[in-house]
Amino acid sequence: MVLLICLVAFDQLVTADSYKLLVLGGSGYVGRQVCKEAVAKGWEVTSLSRRGENPLPGSSLDKVSFVAGDAADMELLLRLAGEADAVVHSIGLLLDSESGLGNLNFLTSGSRSVPGDKATYDSEMKDTALNLLEALKMTKRDSSRPYVFVSAAEVGWEDNKAGTRLEDLMREKDFFLPRYLDAKRAVEKELVSESEDAGVRPIIARPSFMYDATKLDILPLLPVWFLGHKLNIGDGAFSIPLRVETAGSGIVQIMDDGSVKGVVSSSDILAAAPLAAIRRPDGVDTLTSGIASIARIPFGTNVAPELTSGSGERPPASSIRIYEFEGCPFCRRVREIATHLDLEYTAVPCGQGSRHREYVKKAAESIGNSSPTFPYMEDEAAGVKLFESEDIMNHLISTYGGGAGLPKPAEYFLPSTIITGWVPTLMRLFKGGKVVESVVEEPDEPLVLWNYEGNQFCRLVREAMVELDLTYVVKSIGKGSPRREELRELAGTTVAPFFEDLNTGKKMGDSADIVEYLFRTYSSK
């Protein structure tokens, strides 16, 4: 495993030195996601935009070379294109100066830009894309270079009866969208017809609506678009909307596939996107996880007062192994007790499809049970093996409680599993319960998660651990835990979650970054 990690690291170093990507509009809504995915692949990335500023300081975009300039500056384009092994054109605006709505473009723009007085779809999208094509032609190489033009799925309406009718109606009303689509079509046509002379492999990316939790202009339309796609209304007039992270990462993966050329649809982009981008938590995930945590207040957040002084012997993480999964409410109350008792333990995820379920099945059969149930616990130090969640809790409290009882209000703790214990499962439906198909072998050294049950951000990481079927060490740091000082010495913070991968030396604290890292490192897709 160590050898494999070294080989991967070496491969990334070689790629970084040998593959250079130029992104026009790399600080924009889609462009920044393209840059992030390219950086993750180890590519050397240059972004050209008017401001030339990193839109997300402190992120992986710090590795991007941001250049301020005008994409109409042919001398600048010749220099940048001449150095590039691949290019992406992601400059765009939805509301131009002729739409009558230009001052509202900041609502639709990822970079919050407002078009100038003469900023039209032709000047901003068509002309800059064709300038880049000309620059590639003038710096032509012996082998073709990929040129990705970020178009729009609705460009295909010209080949769809329902889409044509809708577009014709918009033209009659002098609506802006047909002019937007015409500019995209003009670039697509020129890119395909001139690709051989320019020495490029043309890739026309046609995502439909791209969204994230901040895109308030798009979010109201998403249910309509999703329904239209699901029901195939208009025989394909509605393409599947994509999270912008999914779109950007999928575009990079497609570009990296030397066999792909021509039009790629929203569905193609989704299929190509790595799980690291698809599963990276967003604002909706944070919100639903937060509601799940609120539903379980006050349980799973505080250490029992009897244990906050740090006195008393605590079992090592290797002593207690709990076989469980995030979506199970009975597993949840055992994790809440572990936070309450400030325990370290080894969590063995057992979601649907887990490689660990066979072990639990054999343990169940050894005591005469026909099928396994979860949670299941083995306490090596105490010589105890238990299945029922209530039995597990009673054992942990009596053995490691130091006089502590159930979390207060104690009389409500057990029945609350039935009343509110299902809320987190429902709020995070389809999360943390099933293993993805692309998991790889578990690493040699343990993963470590500083965590407490009631934290909404920790939940997102635990879900990923289940979906990737990764065993990990839990270091409980509920409120009042003496272990928080240990975390402060390690990380300079007491904020949960905090994650350590002893196989790679990676240490990180942001939950979304941790989830992305886990899927990028321990998934084959």
Side-chain angles (χ1 to χ4, degrees):
M1 186 66 190
V2 174
L3 176 60
L4 175 61
I5 292 170
C6 291
L7 288 174
V8 170
F10 176 74
D11 179 66
Q12 290 181 335
L13 287 173
V14 172
T15 306
D17 290 338
S18 62
Y19 206 82
K20 298 180 180 180
L21 175 67
L22 170 64
V23 182
L24 266 61
S27 60
Y29 189 55
V30 182
R32 69 183 65 173
Q33 302 301 333
V34 170
C35 290
K36 286 178 67 175
E37 184 64 25
V39 165
K41 292 177 74 68
W43 295 357
E44 184 178 327
V45 183
T46 299
S47 163
L48 174 63
S49 61
R50 291 189 186 279
R51 286 190 287 253
E53 297 175 352
N54 181 352
L56 298 171
S59 70
S60 61
L61 292 183
D62 290 341
K63 297 179 181 179
V64 175
S65 175
F66 286 93
V67 177
D70 191 338
D73 183 345
M74 184 56 70
E75 183 178 348
L76 176 60
L77 279 184
L78 283 171
R79 177 172 65 82
L80 296 178
E83 298 171 350
D85 300 307
V87 298
V88 174
H89 183 283
S90 62
I91 296 175
L93 76 164
L94 185 61
L95 304 172
D96 72 353
S97 61
E98 296 179 357
S99 68
L101 301 169
N103 289 335
L104 298 178
N105 190 68
F106 75 95
L107 295 174
T108 66
S109 168
S111 59
R112 305 303 180 195
S113 63
V114 175
D117 293 339
K118 298 181 180 180
T120 66
Y121 300 129
D122 283 351
S123 69
E124 301 303 300
M125 295 191 307
K126 186 184 77 171
D127 293 348
T128 57
L130 297 184
N131 284 346
L132 179 58
L133 181 62
E134 183 64 22
L136 290 168
K137 184 185 296 185
M138 295 174 68
T139 59
K140 185 177 179 181
R141 296 181 180 178
D142 293 336
S143 58
S144 63
R145 292 179 283 178
Y147 180 161
V148 178
F149 174 65
V150 181
S151 188
E154 292 68 37
V155 167
W157 279 355
E158 63 181 355
D159 301 318
N160 178 279
K161 289 183 179 180
T164 299
R165 292 194 201 101
L166 182 57
E167 193 172 341
D168 287 344
L169 179 62
M170 292 180 182
R171 289 188 192 277
E172 291 176 9
K173 302 297 183 181
D174 197 28
F175 196 56
F176 66 87
L177 188 59
R179 290 191 303 104
Y180 171 89
L181 298 178
D182 285 344
K184 296 281 191 182
R185 289 175 183 136
V187 176
E188 289 190 10
K189 182 178 179 180
E190 192 77 8
L191 179 56
V192 171
S193 65
E194 295 295 320
S195 60
E196 186 173 350
D197 286 345
V200 302
R201 173 164 55 94
I203 301 173
I204 298 165
R206 284 185 179 176
S208 186
F209 278 128
M210 291 176 284
Y211 67 94
D212 63 21
T214 68
K215 290 287 284 180
L216 300 181
D217 59 310
I218 293 295
L219 292 179
L221 295 173
L222 283 179
V224 176
W225 225 258
F226 269 116
L227 187 62
H229 171 74
K230 193 70 175 178
L231 299 178
N232 196 28
I233 296 174
D235 192 25
F238 294 87
S239 295
I240 186 169
L242 299 175
R243 281 205 329 175
V244 67
E245 294 91 347
T246 301
S249 60
I251 285 169
V252 173
Q253 298 299 325
I254 286 170
M255 176 173 52
D256 198 28
D257 184 343
S259 66
V260 178
K261 63 185 297 186
V263 174
V264 291
S265 67
S266 272
S267 297
D268 295 330
I269 295 170
L270 176 60
L275 282 176
I278 296 173
R279 297 300 181 92
R280 180 182 171 90
D282 61 10
V284 175
D285 291 304
T286 302
L287 174 63
T288 53
S289 185
I291 295 172
S293 291
I294 291 171
R296 293 300 296 159
I297 288 176
F299 305 126
T301 59
N302 298 307
V303 173
E306 294 85 351
L307 300 171
T308 55
S309 65
S311 60
E313 185 176 347
R314 316 301 294 150
S318 59
S319 174
I320 300 175
R321 294 176 68 84
I322 301 178
Y323 295 75
E324 52 92 32
F325 60 96
E326 182 63 31
C328 167
F330 298 99
C331 300
R332 182 171 299 112
R333 67 180 180 183
V334 170
R335 295 195 303 270
E336 289 172 346
I337 287 294
T339 295
H340 178 64
L341 299 179
D342 200 33
L343 292 175
E344 288 189 14
Y345 63 95
T346 299
V348 186
C350 293
Q352 183 181 344
S354 169
R355 54 193 152 207
H356 305 121
R357 285 202 166 198
E358 184 62 27
Y359 180 86
V360 181
K361 178 182 178 183
K362 291 180 180 178
E365 291 172 348
S366 70
I367 60 172
N369 292 349
S370 58
S371 60
T373 58
F374 299 94
Y376 167 63
M377 184 204 71
E378 295 180 344
D379 185 342
E380 182 179 316
V384 171
K385 298 180 179 181
L386 296 169
F387 271 98
E388 293 298 325
S389 61
E390 189 167 352
D391 292 341
I392 294 171
M393 291 187 302
N394 288 334
H395 164 74
L396 293 175
I397 289 173
S398 63
T399 308
Y400 306 112
L406 289 172
K408 295 180 180 180
E411 65 278 7
Y412 178 65
F413 182 73
L414 291 176
S416 74
T417 302
I418 305 301
I419 300 171
T420 64
W422 288 94
V423 174
T425 302
L426 295 174
M427 290 304 303
R428 300 294 297 157
L429 202 59
F430 307 121
K431 300 289 187 180
K434 184 178 180 180
V435 177
V436 298
E437 295 179 355
S438 56
V439 297
V440 299
E441 289 185 9
E442 290 200 89
D444 296 332
E445 299 296 327
L447 307 176
V448 180
L449 182 64
W450 302 71
N451 152 93
Y452 62 94
E453 170 59 27
N455 184 290
Q456 68 193 93
F457 301 103
C458 295
R459 178 179 291 105
L460 302 176
V461 178
R462 296 194 305 264
E463 288 171 351
M465 294 290 198
V466 173
E467 292 168 1
L468 291 168
D469 210 23
L470 293 169
T471 301
Y472 61 103
V473 170
V474 174
K475 289 181 176 284
S476 295
I477 50 169
K479 296 176 182 178
S481 170
R483 199 174 287 111
R484 287 196 169 198
E485 287 307 310
E486 182 183 343
L487 177 59
R488 189 192 302 277
E489 292 180 9
L490 172 69
T493 180
T494 61
V495 175
F498 189 79
F499 168 79
E500 299 177 84
D501 187 339
L502 302 183
N503 303 276
T504 63
K506 193 72 173 179
K507 298 178 182 180
M508 53 206 319
D510 180 83
S511 58
D513 289 344
I514 296 170
V515 171
E516 181 177 345
Y517 169 82
L518 288 170
F519 275 99
R520 202 172 289 281
T521 307
Y522 296 107
S523 167
S524 60
K525 183 183 183 304

